[in-house]
């Protein structure tokens, strides 16, 4: 584990060298057309796409290997190898399916990050406008301090500052809620893949124990294979375990109750944790429990309203413009 | 899960379509220079190579995303986002390291499969030779039944059959032992990646709970961030849990005690399971335990002697040539 307890690239140059070339060459090019504010997240979202593709490819390979193993086993003309290799193949192909499901779940997390990026993108003009007006005022004051236009500009500036205050509030509201939601989703997906693949791998090892690998001498006949039923039972067990699988996650409650205008909904501060989780089976883990990661039910954060630029506004919000 | 309980391609056409093109185009070309007997495994081993590359690529992307997330968080100028994103990044980079370790462990399993393939390759000539001589005899009997050469050929055939009996015994001995060993290794690696990534993901969700995503109204100040110590403690917890991690696997014992000539070592039939496992910490799981996959210590099969063609022979083996 990274002992520095930080991987910020200015603290840790090696981490940037871990970036695959294709990831950067492409992203950095496209990134340049993005406003400064959303550039970093834009690139990160691109990289997540490469990550997703890698896991999809791994899933495909697994499926291919699974059927190749089964076919090879059949060709050995050894009943034991033929049956076990076919059933190992079944487990491997499910392992591949889980890898593919994981890729799709990361894609959901990626979509949530996009809502942050889109808000960043929309906030940039507001910042620019405020700066532009302040700049004009400074220039004009220097050139013709008595200009009547200064009054108009000052009024424009106050409006621009008010608009920007709203934009910045929307940005911090979306950023905190969606970052929490995106990674709660991604970590939940990591745990799901892991727990299901553990089920498959453990039953796989049980299957291997049905192979009698006691060596024979030339001319000896192998004892006939008699574990067909046990082997099938192991597959049934694996299937049952997968069907019975339940997510057990530490709750990641959200206090975010955002209106479409990305402002707090009335009463969001009185909201209790229970309201915030759309999961009936939820149990709350106390810190001790969570420490030993025997967590509770799956929660990947509240799915808030997506960002809706058309509805941006200060309607129903109080303002403390200094 | 595949309800057919078999993925043999002649039963399940779809599984072959899951094969990525690059995997086949290459393999099938090279495969043609392989003797028939080792062609299938040759291709499978090639596909395993693509699988390994996919997981390596995923690991690299994770490391890249981890540092990008940390850098993005720093740029938000939000102490909460900055600290949590950096620490999430640390967990993500470890997640990537585990993905990379997994790729290397699959490579070990792949190397074990190669020993089967090499034996298959070496057995082919013995089968061909036997068939060739039998063929010659048949032809000669038809042409000149009185030929004195028939006697010589009959003697050659007996020798060829004896040699082939040994070769086939070596093949079945190696195939069963190494198949068991290769997949015990691969399943153990799958479980290790899964259990370690679960640790990281669960602590990651704890980190997310340090983000206060209560929405603010324009002009509001965020409460100052005060979870620096808790966040660091979560990283320490994750690090401790990874350090304390121990493999707990159902034992996959091997009864194979092969000499370099791939024949049973003397007394291998009296051998008890306990002898067969090179793992002091091994405890035996009873079938019930294994069913609920609360297994015992890690065992990936006995690492037998590699295949040594130069030492092939019948030395020290009994023969029952019919």
């Amino acid at each position: 584990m990274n002992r520095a307890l930080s991987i910020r690239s200015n603290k840790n140059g090696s981490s940037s060298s871990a970036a695959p070339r294709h990831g950067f060459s492409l992203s950095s090019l496209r990134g340049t057309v993005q406003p400064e504010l959303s550039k970093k997240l834009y690139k990160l979202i691109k990289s997540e796409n490469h990550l997703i593709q890698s896991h999809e490819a791994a899933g495909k390979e697994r499926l291919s290997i699974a059927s190749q193993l089964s076919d090879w086993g059949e060709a050995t003309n050894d009943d034991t190898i033929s049956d076990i290799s076919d059933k190992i193949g079944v487990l491997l192909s499910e392992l591949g399916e889980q890898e593919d499901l994981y890729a799709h779940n990361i894609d959901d997390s990626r979509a949530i990050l996009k809502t942050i990026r889109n808000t960043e993108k929309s906030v940039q003009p507001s910042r620019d406008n405020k700066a532009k007006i302040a700049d004009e005022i400074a220039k004009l004051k220097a050139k013709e301090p008595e200009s009547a236009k200064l009054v108009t500009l000052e009024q424009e500036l106050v409006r621009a500052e008010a608009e920007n205050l709203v934009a910045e509030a929307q940005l911090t509201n979306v950023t905190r809620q969606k970052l929490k939601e995106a990674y709660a989703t991604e970590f939940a997906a990591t745990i799901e893949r892991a727990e299901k693949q553990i089920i498959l791998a453990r039953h796989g090892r049980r299957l291997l124990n049905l192979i009698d690998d006691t060596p024979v001498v030339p001319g000896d006949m192998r004892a006939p294979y008699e574990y067909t039923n046990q082997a099938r039972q192991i597959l049934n067990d694996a299937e049952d375990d997968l069907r019975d699988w339940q997510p057990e996650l530490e709750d990641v409650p959200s206090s975010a109750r955002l209106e479409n205008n990305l402002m707090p909904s009335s009463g969001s501060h009185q909201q209790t944790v229970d309201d915030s989780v759309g999961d009936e089976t939820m149990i709350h883990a106390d810190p001790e429990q969570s420490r030993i990661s025997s967590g509770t039910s799956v929660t990947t954060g509240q799915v808030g309203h997506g960002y809706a630029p058309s509805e941006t506004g200060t309607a129903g919000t109080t303002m403390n413009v200094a």
Side-chain angles (χ1 to χ4, degrees), chain A:
Chain A
M1 187 117 168
N2 189 321
R3 297 214 148 271
L5 296 183
S6 165
I7 47 137
R8 201 139 278 163
S9 54
N10 50 21
K11 295 176 194 161
N12 175 354
S14 66
S15 59
S16 57
S17 69
R21 270 170 217 72
H22 71 279
F24 273 134
S25 59
L26 229 180
S27 318
S28 54
L29 255 173
R30 300 247 182 105
T32 52
V33 304
Q34 290 283 312
E36 193 55 38
L37 189 53
S38 56
K39 230 179 236 177
K40 284 185 156 59
L41 209 47
Y42 185 95
K43 290 181 186 176
L44 187 150
I45 287 164
K46 277 243 168 283
S47 299
E48 286 256 350
N49 209 22
H50 296 307
L51 176 70
I52 289 160
Q53 286 160 3
S54 299
H55 284 296
E56 279 174 345
K60 278 207 181 66
E61 288 294 347
R62 265 286 177 227
L63 289 171
S64 159
I65 288 168
S67 63
Q68 288 183 64
L69 181 68
S70 172
D71 292 343
W72 165 81
E74 188 174 36
T76 61
N77 297 318
D78 175 333
D79 292 347
T80 299
I81 298 297
S82 177
D83 188 52
I84 300 299
S85 68
D86 186 43
K87 293 188 165 40
I88 293 272
V90 173
L91 293 180
L92 290 180
S93 62
E94 182 59 25
L95 213 65
E97 299 289 359
Q98 290 302 326
E99 200 69 32
D100 191 61
L101 173 66
Y102 180 57
H104 285 77
N105 289 336
I106 297 176
D107 201 30
D108 294 341
S109 159
R110 179 169 166 271
I112 299 168
L113 288 177
K114 283 182 177 177
T115 61
I116 303 178
R117 182 203 62 194
N118 294 342
T119 310
E120 287 179 332
K121 217 166 163 176
S122 74
V123 166
Q124 185 76 66
S126 154
R127 286 189 186 177
D128 297 343
N129 183 43
K130 187 179 134 192
K132 193 179 108 292
I133 298 171
D135 190 51
E136 279 181 44
I137 291 173
K139 283 188 188 140
L140 197 58
K141 273 192 174 143
K143 247 192 284 153
E144 29 182 319
E146 302 315 318
S147 166
K149 201 185 169 213
L150 271 173
V151 184
T152 333
L153 284 173
E154 298 284 4
Q155 291 165 355
E156 274 182 42
L157 181 58
V158 178
R159 289 194 294 273
E161 283 171 341
E163 194 225 324
N164 180 247
L165 268 182
V166 174
E168 301 293 350
Q170 293 169 323
L171 180 57
T172 181
N173 289 345
V174 165
T175 301
R176 289 190 176 209
Q177 181 194 344
K178 296 302 181 183
L179 180 68
K180 211 167 164 175
E181 189 181 327
Y183 281 96
T185 302
E186 188 147 335
F187 286 135
T190 303
I191 292 166
E192 177 174 0
R193 176 187 68 164
E195 290 180 343
K196 289 181 173 176
Q197 291 190 344
I198 285 172
I199 289 170
L200 293 161
R202 289 200 185 277
H203 286 298
R205 287 175 64 93
R206 289 177 65 206
L207 272 176
L208 293 171
N209 281 331
L210 300 181
I211 299 176
D212 171 14
D213 64 352
T214 312
V216 296
V217 296
D220 270 1
M221 290 301 291
R222 284 278 186 196
Y225 177 63
E226 51 203 9
Y227 299 120
T228 317
N229 295 338
Q230 284 97 316
R232 175 162 295 247
Q233 185 52 51
I234 290 173
L235 280 196
N236 293 337
D237 292 346
E239 206 166 358
D240 294 345
D241 289 351
L242 282 183
R243 200 185 303 103
D244 301 346
W245 179 83
Q246 289 279 2
E248 287 187 358
L249 296 175
E250 179 180 6
D251 177 32
V252 180
S254 170
S255 307
R257 276 292 178 88
L258 291 183
E259 300 294 343
N260 286 349
N261 62 14
L262 302 184
M263 288 299 138
S265 64
S266 49
S268 66
H269 292 272
Q270 288 73 43
Q271 169 191 45
T272 71
V273 165
D274 292 12
D275 306 337
S276 73
V277 182
D279 190 330
E280 306 67 27
T281 69
M282 190 194 72
I283 313 151
H284 286 293
D286 61 47
E288 289 322 302
Q289 277 187 304
S290 70
R291 173 64 184 79
I292 56 169
S293 60
S294 70
T296 55
S297 78
V298 66
T299 311
T300 55
Q302 176 195 33
V303 180
H305 299 294
Y307 177 67
S310 61
E311 290 163 331
T312 302
T314 63
T317 65
T318 66
M319 305 228 338
N320 326 325
V321 181

